[in-house]
Amino acid sequence: MSLYIESFNIEHMYSSSKPRKFAFSPHVASKLCVDPSSFNTNSCTKDLKRACEKNDIAKADQLFFTIVKQDHWAVVVLNLIHKQFNVFDSNIRDSDYVSILEKPCSNLIENFKTLVRGRNPWKHNLDMFERFSPSGYPHQSTTFDCGLFAILYMENLTARGLKPFNTDTTSLLNFRKYIAAKLFKHPQNTLSSEEELEKLLKKS
């Protein structure tokens, strides 16, 4: 997920399309997920400063945070277009379901608000942003596709909402291939050919 997010940020840094997107690393998200009573803003100050200076997130329309707990992924979105925090969890199918990521997501939202009070690159007051969890978006039908769906949410969230995407087996398989190809071409990938990749996979 970390490598995908690096690729995601590089792609959107130089894109002229809207909305402008930026994703914090899972490591940063993990530091923001702690209980607010024990959150230390110093743990994330450098991360916020780096994102402001390197990625110019003051001009971003959407910020993404990918959270994982017990091998399950979810996405928190700071939606600056609609002045909301959105949560996308591919396991939630009805309002009665309580995700294992409910508390970490809530913690992240509160802690990020606290962090930004010390350095707010936007004209908006994030303390006034409410949490809005969309309904009716696609969900996983397996026990192992949560990470893939987290990526799909990030890729397909537009200014108007979540763009529809196919979730049949063939479509998900093709999307996995697309992501694998994107990561294979990542600048930090030191494998120079498909043959080297195949050799590496055979050893693992």
Side-chain angles (χ1 to χ4, degrees):
M1 183 66 78
S2 296
L3 188 59
Y4 162 75
I5 286 176
E6 286 188 19
S7 178
F8 177 88
N9 287 336
I10 292 172
E11 179 181 331
H12 285 277
M13 182 186 298
Y14 301 106
S15 173
S16 59
S17 63
K18 287 288 186 176
R20 290 194 60 179
K21 301 178 179 181
F22 174 79
F24 284 94
S25 70
H27 176 63
V28 174
S30 69
K31 293 189 287 185
L32 288 164
C33 286
V34 300
D35 191 278
S37 63
S38 60
F39 176 63
N40 184 349
T41 56
N42 291 333
S43 66
C44 297
T45 300
K46 289 183 179 179
D47 300 301
L48 179 61
K49 181 180 179 181
R50 187 183 305 112
C52 289
E53 295 177 353
K54 181 180 177 181
N55 299 91
D56 197 14
I57 62 171
K59 296 180 180 178
D61 299 307
Q62 296 169 345
L63 299 184
F64 295 86
F65 305 84
T66 51
I67 303 176
V68 62
K69 182 177 181 180
Q70 296 179 21
D71 296 325
H72 179 57
W73 291 90
V75 180
V76 175
V77 185
L78 170 53
N79 196 326
L80 291 148
I81 299 173
H82 298 291
K83 300 179 181 179
Q84 298 171 341
F85 283 93
N86 306 136
V87 177
F88 292 91
D89 186 330
S90 59
N91 257 350
I92 297 179
R93 295 176 178 81
D94 56 66
S95 57
D96 295 328
Y97 179 84
V98 179
S99 171
I100 58 172
L101 289 174
E102 170 58 31
K103 183 61 175 173
C105 288
S106 297
N107 289 348
L108 185 146
I109 292 171
E110 291 307 312
N111 290 335
F112 191 72
K113 288 179 180 180
T114 301
L115 175 66
V116 168
R117 290 187 198 118
R119 176 174 182 159
N120 190 341
W122 306 282
K123 61 182 179 180
H124 307 297
N125 180 1
L126 268 57
D127 285 316
M128 302 301 293
F129 283 29
E130 295 185 354
R131 172 175 171 175
F132 174 74
S133 296
S135 60
Y137 58 88
H139 295 86
Q140 66 188 83
S141 58
T142 66
T143 59
F144 53 81
D145 276 332
C146 54
L148 188 66
F149 272 77
I151 293 174
L152 282 163
Y153 298 146
M154 293 172 63
E155 293 278 351
N156 290 286
L157 187 61
T158 70
R160 294 185 177 182
L162 193 65
K163 184 170 60 177
F165 57 85
N166 294 322
T167 59
D168 60 275
T169 303
T170 301
S171 296
L172 293 180
L173 179 60
N174 288 336
F175 187 71
R176 286 182 187 277
K177 293 178 181 178
Y178 164 75
I179 293 299
K182 178 184 286 191
L183 298 184
F184 184 76
K185 296 177 182 178
H186 191 277
Q188 292 186 3
N189 179 23
T190 58
L191 298 175
S192 59
S193 67
E194 293 184 14
E195 288 76 15
E196 289 186 19
L197 177 61
E198 291 178 0
K199 290 179 181 179
L200 181 64
L201 292 175
K202 288 180 180 179
K203 292 179 180 179
S204 61

